[in-house]
Amino acid sequence: MSTTVAGTGAAGVAGAGDTGPGAPGAEQLAGLVLAAGPHATAVTLAVARGERSAVHCHGRTARDGGPCTPDTGYELGSVTKTFTALLLAELAARGEVALDDPVQRHLPAGRRPPDVRRGGPIRLIHLATHTSGLPGLPPGLLASAVPAWNRNPYAGYDEQRLWAALARTTVRRPPGEVYWYSNYGVGLLGWLLAEAGRGPDYAGLLGERIGRPLGLRTLTCSPDAPQRATGHHLGRPLPPWRIPALPGAGAVRAGGADLLRFLRAHLEPEPDGGPLGTALREVRRPRLRLPRSGDEICLVWNHRRTPDDRDLFFHSGGTRGFTTFVGFCPQTATAVAALTNSGPTVRSSFNQTAYDAFKRLARPDGESTGSG
């Protein structure tokens, strides 16, 4: 069972419109359903191409659930980091933080920063570009996660354990020197931004600074949000993902229509859009080139320049029960969000298939294959 909601303009993703085969992304949906595998019950593909947009929904929220819709919520996993990056840039545009601020400037009172053996302090820009020198996960998290690895591995690792781990973390490489993907680093960034923005917590600040201005009705960090899909790991339904210590790295949930609104805001930010408009431009600026790759890192976003001078910005994510991909290309006004309620495995091809679909849709003709 598949449905499509299509329209024109930024608000068209939630309204009635042309739902025929010509709706952007219609030809890519079947490949994503196949790549999602037999254990997925839901797949959403949200696509914008110029003034046209469509949200294609396939399947049900669970094996005995209701139909998947544009508002069906998915766990975004590491796609959360793109929201954290936008929060960082928004607070910086307001002057509440600076990208070069040292971590200790925004730590809650009484919290100790990591011990940096060489080089200067860890700065916010290091956390947002995975160059802080912090490991991928906080000390002690992996050991506590293993017993619940196939269900909810991070649920028992809370904020207090994070702060205790931070105080005993030793950074052995100078911050800013080496790229090393770190959930720890971006998760810490989420806490620091909540402190600097004087929000009640990360989720509250996210809703205030990004969710409400962009009209993202399904954006949430709550595991108990309504209209959500049920995640699956190898066919087994899972409880909602909980990641209390690192919400800025992987706790966000949203539906396909709202993700498309979020991505379209990045395509051509309003010049007079205030701090959020400034932030939407700032997150697109490349910061460093990845080793052994032509790709670059912006604020969290991966950036790839094509041979014909188009900019592809993208990020993928996953929890135990969900796999996600988002991308946008300003030159062709293309945005893509691909979501499924089956977790990644060693043989998963969903994110690669989603990237390939994005790459094709972002070409000038919108469909041709080729390099880039």
Side-chain angles (χ1 to χ4, degrees):
M1 176 185 65
S2 299
T3 60
T4 300
V5 178
T8 58
V13 290
D18 173 14
T19 59
E27 295 183 12
Q28 282 73 34
L29 180 64
L32 282 166
V33 171
L34 182 64
H39 303 309
T41 71
V43 174
T44 293
L45 173 62
V47 178
R49 173 78 187 177
E51 291 299 312
R52 302 188 65 204
S53 56
V55 183
H56 307 275
C57 303
H58 174 87
R60 296 182 172 276
T61 58
R63 300 206 180 280
D64 57 352
C68 177
T69 76
D71 289 334
T72 294
Y74 290 78
E75 296 170 1
L76 301 187
S78 284
V79 169
T80 295
K81 295 178 176 67
T82 66
F83 287 87
T84 303
L86 188 57
L87 270 180
L88 169 61
E90 200 270 354
L91 267 67
R94 291 176 180 266
E96 295 172 299
V97 304
L99 298 184
D100 285 335
D101 281 351
V103 162
Q104 50 263 43
R105 182 171 298 174
H106 301 292
L107 281 173
R111 305 299 183 188
R112 286 177 50 197
D115 178 18
V116 179
R117 294 292 173 90
R118 292 188 293 129
I122 298 174
R123 302 182 185 277
L124 301 186
I125 185 69
H126 298 146
L127 300 177
T129 55
H130 300 291
T131 57
S132 64
L134 292 172
L137 294 172
L141 191 154
L142 192 59
S144 67
V146 168
W149 193 251
N150 288 328
R151 293 181 64 79
N152 222 327
Y154 300 156
Y157 197 92
D158 61 16
E159 177 186 355
Q160 295 306 310
R161 295 183 67 183
L162 173 69
W163 295 126
L166 189 68
R168 67 174 189 270
T169 297
T170 298
V171 178
R172 302 186 185 280
R173 288 187 177 272
E177 184 178 274
V178 176
Y179 173 87
W180 187 265
Y181 189 90
S182 176
N183 284 304
Y184 188 5
V186 184
L188 173 61
L189 179 60
W191 287 109
L192 301 178
L193 296 177
E195 185 76 10
R198 296 178 174 82
D201 53 20
Y202 173 84
L205 189 68
L206 182 69
E208 174 190 335
R209 302 293 181 92
I210 296 178
R212 283 195 287 275
L214 295 182
L216 309 182
R217 297 177 293 107
T218 63
L219 183 70
T220 182
C221 292
S222 172
D224 303 314
Q227 300 185 68
R228 59 180 174 82
T230 297
H232 293 79
H233 176 66
L234 299 178
R236 186 175 65 220
L238 299 180
W241 178 256
R242 297 178 188 274
I243 184 169
L246 303 170
V252 170
R253 294 150 164 85
D258 275 348
L259 276 177
L260 200 54
R261 291 186 181 94
F262 173 70
L263 294 171
R264 290 189 82 155
H266 289 72
L267 289 174
E268 192 173 354
E270 296 288 340
D272 57 352
L276 186 54
T278 299
L280 287 162
R281 291 189 293 274
E282 189 69 12
V283 296
R284 292 173 18 173
R285 188 157 67 85
R287 309 287 170 161
L288 61 97
R289 186 170 298 277
L290 292 177
R292 299 179 299 279
S293 170
D295 290 357
E296 296 173 306
I297 290 292
C298 305
L299 293 183
V300 165
W301 286 97
N302 299 294
H303 171 252
R304 182 169 295 166
R305 188 76 169 173
T306 68
D308 59 352
D309 292 331
R310 285 173 295 116
D311 296 295
L312 304 183
F313 299 91
F314 56 97
H315 208 288
S316 61
T319 66
R320 294 306 289 164
F322 290 81
T323 309
T324 58
F325 173 89
V326 293
F328 65 94
C329 174
Q331 287 87 352
T332 59
T334 303
V336 172
L339 314 159
T340 187
N341 66 336
S342 183
T345 65
V346 173
R347 297 183 178 180
S348 294
S349 62
F350 185 84
N351 275 335
Q352 183 61 53
T353 302
Y355 173 76
D356 290 342
F358 165 54
K359 185 172 65 173
R360 288 193 298 273
L361 289 162
R363 290 182 63 83
D365 60 9
E367 291 293 338
S368 297
T369 59
S371 63

